[in-house]
Amino acid sequence: MTVRSERDQYVVTLTIDREKKLNALDYPTIDALLAELDRIDADDTVRAVILTGAGQRAFSAGADVPSLAASIAGGPERALREFVRRGHTLTRRIEEFPKPVIVAVNGLAYGGGCEITEAAPLAIAAEHATFAKPEISLGFPPPFGGSQRLPRHVGRKRGLELILTGDPIPAARAAELGLVNSVVPVGELLEEARNLAERIIRHAPTAVAACLRAVTRGINLPIDEGLAVEAAAFAATVPTDGVRDGIRRFLDRRQAR
């Protein structure tokens, strides 16, 4: 197994388990991550996901180069089919997942590891973590969505600097750029990710899903289209227990005061 799954009440932690390979993303690992996300999506009792890597050296060093090399040797169509589309499917799945995905970056997040971080709605990094876009040194642009998501996160000029140089940046700089939410000591990483998950899942799952959907779908739209996405997300929650219970609790507290 290249992906370990552990459950603690309402939260599932997925661990990329290829420590000797710096948790590189070969095709079976990507497929296993997709399968686990499908399983979690179908389980209404799971409320949040933490995604991390085995050990403390790497979250993921990116694509498994031998796998990539074999695909590239087969020509553009094979490389697109086996490598790029698989990577796009994974990062899009994480980006659009209806439950919060919190990436806990426990070391290197290079290439595909950085692109997973960009796609996730939330991320926390250990103090020793580093991020990089080294694809240019292999002769191609970021292939798992990094050329599109990173500039949207950090701005065009900062994004291009990272993409065109391939230079690594430390966790503190990643936090300044908005690539991660916070930086913590490595011994506190999973605990902090769990605390963040708990602060989210105390709210109604329908509300959490609606917020994720509204932000993800609307963030790159013109404001009027984004407001329409927001209105649709709100309307979908109106008939839910989450709204009824939330309003009732508010009115009860007000009456008690």
Side-chain angles (χ1 to χ4, degrees), residues 91-221:
T91 53
R92 178 60 66 87
R93 186 72 165 116
I94 291 170
E95 183 175 53
E96 296 183 346
F97 204 64
K99 304 172 185 183
V101 177
I102 303 167
V103 172
V105 184
N106 54 305
L108 301 176
Y110 282 16
C114 191
E115 287 169 305
I116 287 175
T117 307
E118 294 156 18
L122 299 160
I124 299 173
E127 290 173 332
H128 73 291
T130 56
F131 300 80
K133 313 291 291 183
E135 293 92 345
I136 195 166
S137 67
L138 297 174
F140 54 79
F144 286 8
S147 69
Q148 303 305 303
R149 291 190 182 94
L150 183 64
R152 285 169 165 81
H153 276 300
V154 306
R156 177 171 175 258
K157 289 181 172 59
R158 287 170 171 171
L160 278 171
E161 180 182 353
L162 294 172
I163 290 168
L164 293 175
T165 65
D167 292 344
I169 61 169
R173 179 59 174 159
E176 290 175 4
L177 294 175
L179 187 56
V180 299
N181 295 85
S182 60
V183 178
V184 299
V186 64
E188 300 174 12
L189 179 62
L190 290 179
E191 179 184 0
E192 187 64 25
R194 175 73 191 209
N195 288 341
L196 178 56
E198 293 286 353
R199 285 157 51 203
I200 295 169
I201 65 175
R202 64 185 175 181
H203 302 295
T206 48
V208 171
C211 290
L212 287 167
R213 185 167 60 249
V215 172
T216 300
R217 294 184 180 179
I219 194 168
N220 296 314
L221 295 176

